[in-house]
Each structure stands twice: as structure tokens, then as C-alpha cells.
Amino acid sequence: MSDLMVDPASIGLGPEAGRADMVRVGVIGYGYWGPNIVRNLQGQKNAQTVMVCDQNPAALARARKAHPSIETVSNPLDVLRSPEIDAVAVITPVWTHYELAKTALENGKHVFIEKPFTSSSAQAEELIDLAARKKLTIMVDHTFLFTGAVRKIRELTESGALGDLYYYDSLRVNLGLFQHDVSVIWDLAPHDLSIMDHIIRAEPEAIVATGEKHLNGVEDVAFMTIYFPRNVIAHINVNWLSPVKIRTTLIGGQKKMVVWNDLVADEKVRVYDRGVQITSGEGIRDLLVSYRSGDMWAPQLEQLEALHVEMGYFADCILNNKVPFNDGHAGLRVVRMLEAAEKSIRRKGELIRL
């Protein structure tokens, strides 16, 4: 099995997975996403939450009610310096990530950090270097990489089933949730950029982005175009002002094409044996276009909760000294694209080379 794939049996999900080793995790941030992190850690055989930190008393009260056995604190340093903790999960606003992760690493803790990794590529590079010196693990919470849908799409691209890739087109829109400290690009696009990075597996060459602010001083509608070698192009549309919620990705290849609709219960991924072939004669008027319209099939997808798989993988990487595929470098690649997109928006759609 490739080290880029996750074996459920190796992370406490199979009958033979029991082991004595245990990663003790302190979770900082028990707001929107923190409770999901705690819940999925508690279901692991190789990891558990031992401490939860939040500066909101109401949040700590919810944590104590849901998990009476877990210690709760209001000062992050109680988590970051605790000798009872092996790893810290930073589930806080992005502007706090750098300082919390840096302090965790300086105190010998492995770090699991909510997306996006940091507020700047310089911060990301510093954390990566610090973790390497300390021989500690950084994992960025790119949860969608652990879904059955993305794992199947990655399998299709790696096997060559789609042929040479042509394009990646993603639509991620809904009404809200509005953020006050980051734009829609920094809030929603990390999902799509991390998935795109995981599937295309090539360094982007340039980015063009446009967007506008309408309600709260940050971009709430944005469009990104990313250029890759070999004529591969990606487009990402993120929007907080849509009347409907849409989560659809199209991936076009030479041999087959994929449609992933994350909001449907069944057949989230559909593979279409459709395409176009062009042959040429003597001149441009002699171009012959033939269309292929074959079958559609919906591959079976794993039904495991993505975050549960991810948290087990985090513990497995720590216990077995593995480098996660969603490590600090993966987080840095996403942050660099976010920075380039932001620069392009400021310059009204100027091409920014990476």
C-alpha cells in the first residue's frame, strides 16, 4: 500500500488494530470544530483527548457535559506545557495558529492544526523548520483528503483511469457562514486547494483571482484560476452569498471524466466514459471531431467518517514515525496559493506567478 493511502486497519479501525501505545492530545479551541475533534479522538484506540482549553466558560461547560472525564482549562499554556500531553490540536482562528503551534513545538508537542495552516508562508516555513529540528510531527487538518470520495478520485487519477488531466473545476458556495477575520478565500478555498493539490500532484505555475467585498469588509465572493504545467487548468468558485448550497467538483481527463457532488447521499462520485477526439487532415478545415459517449458508473466509496480516519492517521504517524501526506509542507503549498490569490485580487485579477 502506498504511504499516501490510509489503511483503516492500521489506525484502530480494524479487528487487529489494538496496541498499547497511546497519543495523549490536548485540544485548544472548543467552538465550532473543536467538539468534532474531541469526539473523533475519543473513538480511537491509539489516541485520546486528555485536556480541552477554551477561553469561553460556556464552551468549557459544554465540554464537561459531553466528556466528564476530560480536564478543562482556560489558559492555553496549561495545555502547551503539560507533561501529560504528547500532541496539541490547535482549533482556533488562523491568526492564532502560529504562536500556539510554535509554543507547542518548543515544548516538545506534536501539532495537529486546523486549516489554513498559518496566516503567511513565512510563518509556515518557520514552523516546518522548527518541527524538523525537534523531530516532531505537524499535520494540517485537510479533512476532505480522508473522505471516501477524494480517496477514490485519487485512486482513479493515480491508476491512469482518467488519462491525462485537462481541468479541475470546483464550486463551493452557500449562504454564510460569514467570518470577520478572514475572507471567503481563506475560509473555504483551503478545502478545494488541498484536494486539488492532492489529486493533480504538480506544482502550480501561476494564479489569477478576482473577488469583491459586499457586507463585512472582506471578500465574500471570489473566483480563482490556477495554471499548471502540461496545460492543466483549475478553477475554484467560493461564495458566502449564494441562495443555495452547492459542493460540486468536475475533473476532466483524456479518457474519462468525474463529477463529485458531496451533498448527495448516494453516488457522490460518478465516472463518465465521455470525451472528444480530434484528428486533422491537410488544413484547419479538415479537422475531424468525434465524440465518445460511453457508460456512467458510480464506484463504491468507503463510508467511514473522514475526521475519524484522519485523527487515527495522526496518531499512527506519531507512534510509527511516519511523515503524513497532509504535513506542514502540504499546508505551506495551500498558504502560498492563498497569498497569491489575495495579491491577485488586490491587483484586480493580475496574473501572479508562483
Side-chain angles (χ1 to χ4, degrees), residues 131-186:
R133 292 198 306 272
K134 295 276 191 176
K135 295 182 170 55
L136 294 167
T137 298
I138 292 178
M139 180 183 284
V140 182
D141 183 15
H142 293 158
T143 314
F144 277 98
L145 305 188
F146 295 85
T147 61
V150 173
R151 291 174 64 182
K152 176 57 68 175
I153 294 169
R154 170 66 188 268
E155 179 185 312
L156 291 168
T157 56
E158 289 286 287
S159 68
L162 305 185
D164 293 336
L165 291 184
Y166 290 160
Y167 66 85
Y168 177 101
D169 191 6
S170 178
L171 181 62
R172 185 176 299 274
V173 304
N174 52 263
L175 192 60
L177 297 165
F178 282 86
Q179 307 293 322
H180 67 276
D181 56 338
V182 294
S183 70
V184 70
I185 281 186
W186 283 83

Side-chain angles (χ1 to χ4, degrees), residues 22-26 82-88 108-110 136 318:
M22 179 70 68
V23 176
R24 299 164 300 175
V25 183
S82 172
E84 302 300 318
I85 287 175
D86 306 306
V88 174
K109 316 298 185 190
H110 304 279
L136 294 167
I318 293 171

